[in-house]
Amino acid sequence: MSLPLLSIIVVNWNTREVLRRCLESVQQETLTPYELWVVDNGSTDGSPEMVAADFPDVHLIANHENLGFAAANNQALLQAKGRYHLLLNSDTVVLDHALDRMVAFLENRPEVGALGSKLLNADYTLQPSAHNFYSTLGSLVENNLVRLFWKQKKANTRFLTFWDHSSTRPVDWVTGACLMVRQEITETVGLLDESFFMYGEEIDWQMRMAKAGFPVWYLHSAEIIHLGGASSARIPERMRRQEYLSRKILIDKHYGRVTRAIFHAKTALGIAFWQTLNGLRGRKVSWG
């Protein structure tokens, strides 16, 4: 039996019917020889039972608890046999052979280390998925209020938040909802950092790739629907807190003292604002 060219890894937590649609779209829209892994993080909605019954060819890892996104992906990455490893969110739908297009691009561009696709909302509008690494200047500019003082073309060229995602190009990092990585890159830079429970682990991974000299690209011709937040929407305040904690880990790991100090000061102001706003609404929010 020949080895698969592509290893697709889907981490799931209580998104059974969304997960079903994701797996069906992979089957219907992928011609590349692949193996499919589902790592279930202690779901209570029957997700692992559904996968076992309806998708018998899938490699299923059923955890008894939620180990987090990074740790769950690592379980499958350690066993994946494909030349390319794809992290794919359970709340995605593959369109028009998108994964085949991504594999073909990497086959023809051996210098590219990792690749992201175009992400679309459920109504097929653009969901920005290519971003710059964090910088103090970027964090100040990349909001609509400050953007008013910049020329449109200059902002769109320099800051990927404002870019229309209409062309294929190198970028700093792409959203982990659909991230394809060469197997040898994983061996070189290591697995996802499990100190990130959720959020930020794909940024850290791609920062490590960049430091090792492996460029990340965005492929505009590969389109995937990303519903977004299918799991985290169930516990929004907890996920807001987790996102903050993950950003803190990322900044403390990769940036110098001045940038860290500015980031933490801005974050403290932001938390104070949200706590005040929620206090006015009669809601108590903990960020500890």
Side-chain angles (χ1 to χ4, degrees):
M1 182 177 179
S2 61
L3 293 177
L5 187 59
L6 175 64
S7 295
I8 304 168
I9 301 170
V10 181
V11 172
N12 176 72
W13 184 70
N14 288 324
T15 65
R16 183 182 61 194
E17 294 310 312
V18 173
L19 172 64
R20 182 196 303 276
R21 187 182 178 192
C22 171
L23 300 181
E24 289 174 345
S25 74
V26 169
Q27 291 180 335
Q28 295 166 4
E29 295 293 337
T30 309
L31 299 177
T32 301
Y34 69 87
E35 62 175 0
L36 183 52
W37 292 81
V38 171
V39 186
D40 186 83
N41 262 339
S43 293
T44 57
D45 67 346
S47 290
E49 292 81 4
M50 180 275 292
V51 172
D54 297 345
F55 300 91
D57 293 333
V58 168
H59 301 283
L60 174 64
I61 300 175
N63 295 320
H64 296 297
E65 60 182 328
N66 191 343
L67 302 181
F69 186 77
N73 272 298
N74 285 346
Q75 287 179 289
L77 284 169
L78 285 168
Q79 303 178 65
K81 297 179 173 61
R83 184 183 305 170
Y84 306 105
H85 298 162
L86 175 73
L87 307 189
L88 186 67
N89 274 22
S90 65
D91 58 347
T92 57
V93 179
V94 178
L95 303 175
D96 192 23
H97 299 285
L99 305 187
D100 297 328
R101 295 170 186 265
M102 295 176 74
V103 169
F105 182 86
L106 289 176
E107 287 279 274
N108 291 317
R109 300 292 297 271
E111 76 280 6
V112 176
L115 185 66
S117 71
K118 177 182 285 187
L119 297 183
L120 304 174
N121 296 308
D123 61 359
Y124 288 83
T125 56
L126 177 69
Q127 184 180 121
S129 59
H131 310 276
N132 297 105
F133 290 134
Y134 177 85
S135 69
T136 301
L137 174 62
S139 69
L140 294 172
V141 171
E142 289 187 315
N143 63 74
N144 289 328
L145 180 62
V146 177
R147 186 186 182 190
L148 295 174
F149 299 96
W150 284 69
K151 291 184 179 180
Q152 180 89 6
K153 185 175 181 180
K154 185 175 182 180
N156 288 349
T157 300
R158 184 169 181 181
F159 300 101
L160 293 177
T161 295
F162 308 135
W163 177 49
D164 64 8
H165 288 61
S166 63
S167 60
T168 295
R169 58 172 285 185
V171 297
D172 282 356
W173 66 276
V174 294
T175 303
C178 180
L179 172 60
M180 190 174 292
V181 181
R182 293 184 186 277
Q183 186 256 354
E184 61 264 32
I185 304 302
T186 304
E187 293 180 346
T188 301
V189 305
L191 299 171
L192 294 163
D193 184 345
E194 295 182 15
S195 62
F196 297 89
F197 181 82
M198 184 175 182
Y199 303 124
E201 63 286 308
E202 83 273 36
I203 308 174
D204 168 72
W205 210 24
Q206 291 170 82
M207 291 188 79
R208 285 150 52 199
M209 292 178 198
K211 290 176 181 179
F214 302 118
V216 175
W217 278 62
Y218 162 86
L219 181 63
H220 81 287
S221 61
E223 297 185 339
I224 289 179
I225 294 174
H226 179 221
L227 301 177
S231 295
S232 59
R234 304 169 191 272
I235 41 177
E237 295 299 345
R238 178 181 169 188
M239 288 302 100
R240 186 188 295 273
R241 182 167 62 252
Q242 184 59 55
E243 186 173 10
Y244 153 66
L245 293 173
S246 294
R247 287 181 181 178
K248 180 179 183 299
I249 293 171
L250 184 73
I251 296 299
D252 288 345
K253 180 176 181 178
H254 289 283
Y255 291 86
R257 183 173 58 185
V258 173
T259 299
R260 293 199 304 268
I262 294 173
F263 169 82
H264 292 310
K266 287 180 56 189
T267 300
L269 289 173
I271 291 174
F273 170 79
W274 282 110
Q275 287 179 328
T276 300
L277 181 62
N278 280 285
L280 295 174
R281 294 172 176 172
R283 299 168 60 192
K284 184 177 180 180
V285 179
S286 172
W287 292 82

